[in-house]
């Protein structure tokens, strides 16, 4: 499937979701939504973002980890606890610490509580409407710089400031919102 084709399908899904009501977590800034991948690499397109199952417990597009249901709470990207408890899952980028400080790349993760990684970043996540097609849903961005990539055979999700940073064998991926409906 071509990159354009997956954008079209996401647009149709997002448009159909307007006909039903969205689910809202009490006190949340936004209704619940999924992230679905769109990529020039057909094997990465139209896959939901899983909050665990990737290398080191980070997020991935494949595997058996739970599919994330996301929302913003007090301006922070948050994940609904898949076990149904009230525990808050923090969204983070696990930048590794190198000899010159924190790296400019890292895996995307969702964890209950804080990480011991001194370079982990929790803030700066936003969703931005697609300028070409506002019905497509909003795209996940981090500080409006760099992008997300699907890496390795497990299709783990990484953030990179530059495409050449971090792991190799990666293809760019856009993560678009699709509403969770009742």
């Amino acid at each position: 499937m071509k990159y354009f084709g997956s954008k079209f399908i996401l647009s149709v899904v997002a448009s159909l979701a307007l006909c039903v009501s969205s689910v809202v977590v009490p006190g949340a800034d936004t209704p619940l939504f999924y992230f679905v991948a769109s990529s020039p690499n057909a094997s990465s397109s139209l896959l939901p973002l899983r909050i665990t199952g990737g290398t080191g417990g980070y997020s991935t597009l494949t595997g058996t980890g739970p599919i994330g249901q996301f929302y913003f709470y007090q301006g922070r990207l948050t994940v609904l606890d898949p076990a149904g408890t009230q525990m808050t899952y923090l969204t983070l980028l696990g930048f590794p610490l190198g000899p010159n400080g924190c790296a400019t790349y890292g895996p995307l993760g969702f964890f209950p509580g804080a990480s011991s990684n001194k370079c982990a970043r929790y803030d700066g996540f936003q969703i931005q409407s697609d300028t070409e097609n506002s019905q497509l849903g909003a795209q996940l961005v981090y500080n409006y710089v760099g992008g997300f990539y699907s890496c390795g055979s497990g299709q783990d999700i990484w953030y990179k400031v530059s495409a050449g940073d971090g792991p190799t064998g990666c293809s760019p991926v856009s993560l678009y919102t699709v509403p969770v409906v009742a």
Side-chain angles (χ1 to χ4, degrees):
M1 181 177 293
K2 295 184 183 213
Y3 191 55
F4 172 78
S6 60
K7 278 190 166 187
F8 174 74
I9 291 171
L10 281 173
S11 177
V12 170
V13 170
S15 296
L16 290 174
L18 294 175
C19 299
V20 293
S21 63
S22 297
V23 178
V24 179
V25 173
D29 301 335
T30 63
L32 281 175
F33 55 88
Y34 300 106
F35 280 117
V36 177
S38 178
S39 173
N41 180 352
S43 66
S44 297
S45 278
L46 300 178
L47 295 176
L49 182 62
R50 296 177 180 278
I51 62 172
T52 61
T55 305
Y58 287 90
S59 64
T60 185
L61 296 177
T62 61
T64 59
I67 295 170
Q69 293 185 23
F70 304 90
Y71 61 100
F72 277 86
Y73 177 75
Q74 296 181 349
R76 291 185 116 174
L77 181 60
T78 308
V79 181
L80 191 64
D81 180 13
T85 70
Q86 296 300 314
M87 185 172 293
T88 300
Y89 274 62
L90 300 174
T91 303
L92 66 87
L93 292 174
F95 294 125
L97 178 62
N100 298 323
C102 297
T104 57
Y105 59 88
L108 177 64
F110 307 96
F111 296 98
S115 168
S116 61
N117 179 350
K118 294 181 187 315
C119 292
R121 297 291 176 258
Y122 300 94
D123 295 317
F125 295 96
Q126 300 95 20
I127 51 176
Q128 180 179 15
S129 294
D130 187 291
T131 56
E132 295 178 21
N133 184 353
S134 61
Q135 292 180 340
L136 184 58
Q139 181 178 356
L140 179 65
V141 295
Y142 177 73
N143 287 338
Y144 302 103
V145 177
F148 291 95
Y149 293 81
S150 171
C151 300
S153 61
Q155 299 190 45
D156 297 347
I157 299 299
W158 284 71
Y159 168 81
K160 300 180 181 194
V161 170
S162 295
D165 293 345
T168 59
C170 302
S171 62
V173 65
S174 297
L175 299 169
Y176 287 102
T177 61
V178 173
V180 174
V181 293

